[in-house]
């Protein structure tokens, strides 16, 4: 028997559009709620005792939800010593007072003014307010307060503003540090995805969407695990899409791909433990693009940076290094073809050399022929293993430690005879 009142369950069901529930369903839901509440309270009490306290706090409950792999709650009220409950709210956002019960001036027309209008209106905000023109009412509705709606609109407008750098940086700083944006997380993710999908030729918009995702990753108050599968596609699009920016600006997209690679690496590092298949899937996607000779060199550049960011040194050793001999033939064709192919090929070579430089961190003291500092002595061996193009670039560095690291890594990967 559940202590949860079945009538309360019935009222909640009706509030989200479920008109009729029989007594058996009410009993089952009540028992489940009873069990889950007990589970959360038991974990919260355990955390309280570990903290050597005798009073249970809202922080204990939030941490218990996180331990149980449940999305924690934010914005819970704090009870003052006088017994009154105080809830924080915005008096004004960008000089505009939101129409909420806590603020003294409200009106029905004001509610409509805060909703998006026109061709550029955000459909997400219209849908959650039930004003999207649909005939049917959704069973579950995610309700945002008016100040959250206004905040979301102002942030979206600020981050794509090319004329006001201070406002744009302030918007990113707010997303990066404000714990109150938690409820807006799915809307920011959806906004970034839509902007990337429809603005592949606009490098400014693409960069701002990457900065928005980076800001959300930096916000320690956000629980982003449920949104990882939605965060990855727009970042990968900016990393390995063959067509980014205007065709006339052949080099402007390379810094964008480098930024996307750094974000992919952060996502893999931050969520690799909670999603064990995330890192292999990212590496597999980048490797597939890198090994496809039909893809342009720009895509190979992004794929190489992605492999390096996701796999680190082991990714370079196992996924990039063994394929360089065959790949150098494609690179040489790009260099011989003239601009813009030669420019892209130089970027790809730079990405390869950057990955090879990371192998030096595991190399011990120089031994045998490497200690003399004469890297020319290893040219023939490098030519045999990596091809003349990559071998020549390694020799040009004049770094015996790099030569030793590459040859030892080739031996470890089983690529040397």
């Amino acid at each position: 028997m559940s202590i949860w009142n079945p009538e309360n369950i019935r009222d909640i069901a009706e509030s989200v559009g479920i008109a009729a529930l029989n007594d058996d369903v009410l009993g089952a839901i009540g028992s489940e709620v009873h069990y889950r509440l007990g589970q959360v309270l038991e974990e919260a009490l355990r955390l309280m005792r570990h903290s050597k306290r005798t009073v249970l706090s809202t922080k204990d409950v939030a941490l218990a939800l996180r331990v149980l792999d449940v999305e924690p709650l934010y914005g819970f009220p704090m009870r003052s010593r006088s017994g009154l409950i105080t809830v924080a709210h915005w008096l004004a956002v960008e000089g505009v007072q939101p129409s909420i019960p806590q603020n003294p001036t409200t009106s029905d027309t004001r509610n409509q003014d805060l909703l998006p209008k026109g061709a550029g209106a955000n459909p997400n905000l219209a849908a959650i307010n039930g004003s999207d023109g649909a005939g049917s009412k959704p069973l579950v509705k995610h309700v945002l307060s008016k100040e959250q709606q206004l905040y979301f609109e102002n942030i979206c407008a600020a981050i794509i503003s090319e004329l006001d750098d201070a406002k744009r940086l302030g918007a990113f700083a707010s997303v990066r540090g404000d714990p109150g944006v938690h409820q807006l997380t799915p809307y920011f993710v959806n906004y970034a995805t839509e902007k990337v999908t429809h603005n592949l030729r606009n490098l400014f918009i693409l960069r701002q969407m990457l900065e928005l995702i980076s800001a959300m990753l930096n916000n320690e108050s956000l629980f982003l695990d449920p949104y990882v599968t939605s965060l990855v596609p727009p970042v990968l699009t900016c990393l390995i899409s063959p067509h980014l920016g205007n065709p006339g600006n052949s080099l402007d997209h390379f810094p964008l791909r480098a930024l996307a690679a750094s974000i992919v690496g952060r996502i893999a590092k931050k969520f690799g433990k909670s999603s064990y298949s995330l890192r292999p899937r990212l590496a597999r996607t980048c490797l597939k693009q890198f090994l496809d000779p039909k893809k342009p060199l720009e895509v190979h550049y992004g794929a190489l940076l992605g492999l390096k960011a996701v796999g680190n040194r082991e990714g370079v050793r196992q996924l990039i290094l063994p394929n360089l001999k065959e790949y150098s033939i494609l690179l040489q064709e790009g260099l011989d073809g003239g601009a813009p192919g030669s420019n892209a090929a130089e970027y790809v070579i730079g990405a390869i050399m950057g990955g090879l430089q990371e192998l030096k961190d595991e190399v011990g003291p120089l031994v045998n022929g490497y200690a003399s500092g004469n890297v020319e002595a290893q040219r023939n061996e490098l030519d045999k293993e990596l091809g003349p193009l990559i071998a020549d670039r390694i020799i040009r560095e004049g770094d015996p430690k790099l030569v030793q690291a590459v040859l030892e890594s080739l031996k470890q990967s089983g690529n040397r005879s």
Side-chain angles (χ1 to χ4, degrees):
M1 180 178 179
S2 171
I3 62 172
W4 194 266
N5 190 344
E7 293 303 318
N8 290 344
I9 300 175
R10 193 188 304 276
D11 292 340
I12 295 172
E14 291 176 353
S15 69
V16 295
I18 303 175
L21 286 178
N22 59 45
D23 293 338
D24 293 337
V25 173
L26 291 175
I29 295 176
S31 299
E32 179 69 13
V33 171
H34 185 191
Y35 170 74
R36 296 300 177 186
L37 283 176
Q39 189 179 26
V40 172
L41 287 174
E42 181 179 357
E43 188 64 32
L45 289 170
R46 184 183 68 82
L47 293 169
M48 178 195 72
R49 289 192 292 269
H50 275 274
S51 301
K52 301 186 184 302
R53 289 184 284 102
T54 58
V55 178
L56 189 68
S57 69
T58 52
K59 184 178 181 180
D60 295 323
V61 176
L63 291 175
L65 292 173
R66 186 178 290 274
V67 169
L68 295 172
D69 199 22
V70 179
E71 187 171 349
L73 301 176
Y74 293 89
F76 42 74
M78 297 179 293
R79 186 176 297 274
S80 64
R81 293 184 179 180
S82 62
L84 298 176
I85 294 179
T86 59
V87 180
H89 68 280
W90 277 304
L91 291 175
V93 178
E94 292 286 335
V96 179
Q97 180 175 282
S99 178
I100 57 175
Q102 289 88 347
N103 288 336
T105 58
T106 58
S107 65
D108 294 337
T109 56
R110 180 87 169 144
N111 293 335
Q112 296 301 319
D113 291 340
L114 292 176
L115 297 179
K117 298 179 178 66
N122 190 294
N124 300 319
L125 297 180
I128 60 177
N129 284 279
S131 59
D132 55 348
S136 60
K137 183 179 179 181
L139 295 180
V140 180
K141 184 171 61 175
H142 189 179
V143 178
L144 294 178
S145 64
K146 296 299 185 294
E147 64 263 31
Q148 286 175 322
Q149 296 174 31
L150 186 59
Y151 175 85
F152 178 78
E153 290 181 350
N154 286 333
I155 291 293
C156 291
I159 62 179
I160 59 175
S161 173
E162 298 187 48
L163 303 178
D164 195 340
D165 293 342
K167 189 175 182 180
R168 186 171 64 254
L169 294 175
F172 287 133
S174 180
V175 175
R176 192 179 302 115
D178 190 351
V181 303
H182 174 74
Q183 283 189 308
L184 294 172
T185 300
Y187 301 102
F188 280 130
V189 173
N190 186 58
Y191 177 74
T193 302
E194 288 185 355
K195 284 293 184 181
V196 169
T197 302
H198 297 101
N199 294 275
L200 291 179
R201 298 295 185 185
N202 192 328
L203 294 180
F204 175 79
I205 295 294
L206 295 179
R207 185 174 187 86
Q208 303 320 307
M209 294 307 106
L210 291 179
E211 294 287 357
L212 175 60
I213 293 174
S214 176
M216 288 192 291
L217 291 173
N218 286 332
N219 193 329
E220 296 295 334
S221 300
L222 299 185
F223 186 71
L224 294 175
D225 293 63
Y227 310 107
V228 174
T229 54
S230 300
L231 282 173
V232 169
V235 182
L236 282 181
T237 298
C238 295
L239 180 67
I240 55 178
S241 175
H243 305 294
L244 294 177
N246 295 322
N249 300 326
S250 58
L251 302 180
D252 292 347
H253 58 87
F254 285 102
L256 180 77
R257 295 181 192 272
L259 175 61
S262 68
I263 295 176
V264 166
R266 290 171 57 195
I267 291 175
K269 182 178 180 181
K270 186 171 185 177
F271 305 105
K273 293 182 179 179
S274 59
S275 178
Y276 67 92
S277 64
L278 175 63
R279 193 183 291 269
R281 283 190 287 114
L282 290 173
R284 193 181 306 117
T285 300
C286 293
L287 182 63
K288 181 180 178 181
Q289 300 297 317
F290 170 53
L291 297 180
D292 189 349
K294 297 181 180 179
K295 297 292 183 182
L297 292 176
E298 293 84 354
V299 174
H300 294 163
Y301 173 78
L304 283 165
L305 292 182
L307 285 172
K308 187 177 99 173
V310 173
N312 301 318
R313 285 191 296 272
E314 197 62 28
V316 175
R317 180 183 296 111
Q318 298 295 337
L319 302 178
I320 297 178
L321 199 58
N323 297 296
L324 288 183
K325 185 175 182 179
E326 296 294 330
Y327 184 71
S328 63
I329 300 174
L330 185 65
L331 269 181
Q332 189 63 58
E333 293 175 357
L335 289 172
D336 296 340
S342 60
N343 294 330
E346 288 293 343
Y347 270 97
V348 173
I349 293 173
I352 293 173
M353 296 303 297
L356 297 181
Q357 291 287 347
E358 292 199 357
L359 299 176
K360 296 196 304 181
D361 296 339
E362 293 183 346
V363 175
L366 296 177
V367 296
N368 301 332
Y370 307 109
S372 65
N374 182 18
V375 295
E376 282 290 341
Q378 281 76 37
R379 178 182 287 274
N380 290 336
E381 193 171 5
L382 288 171
D383 282 349
K384 178 183 175 182
E385 302 295 342
L386 301 176
L389 175 61
I390 303 299
D392 182 65
R393 294 304 178 103
I394 294 175
I395 295 298
R396 284 189 198 178
E397 294 289 324
D399 188 350
K401 192 172 183 180
L402 174 62
V403 175
Q404 180 179 345
V406 170
L407 292 177
E408 288 184 356
S409 295
L410 283 168
K411 184 177 181 180
Q412 293 175 19
S413 64
N415 199 48
R416 297 178 65 183
S417 56

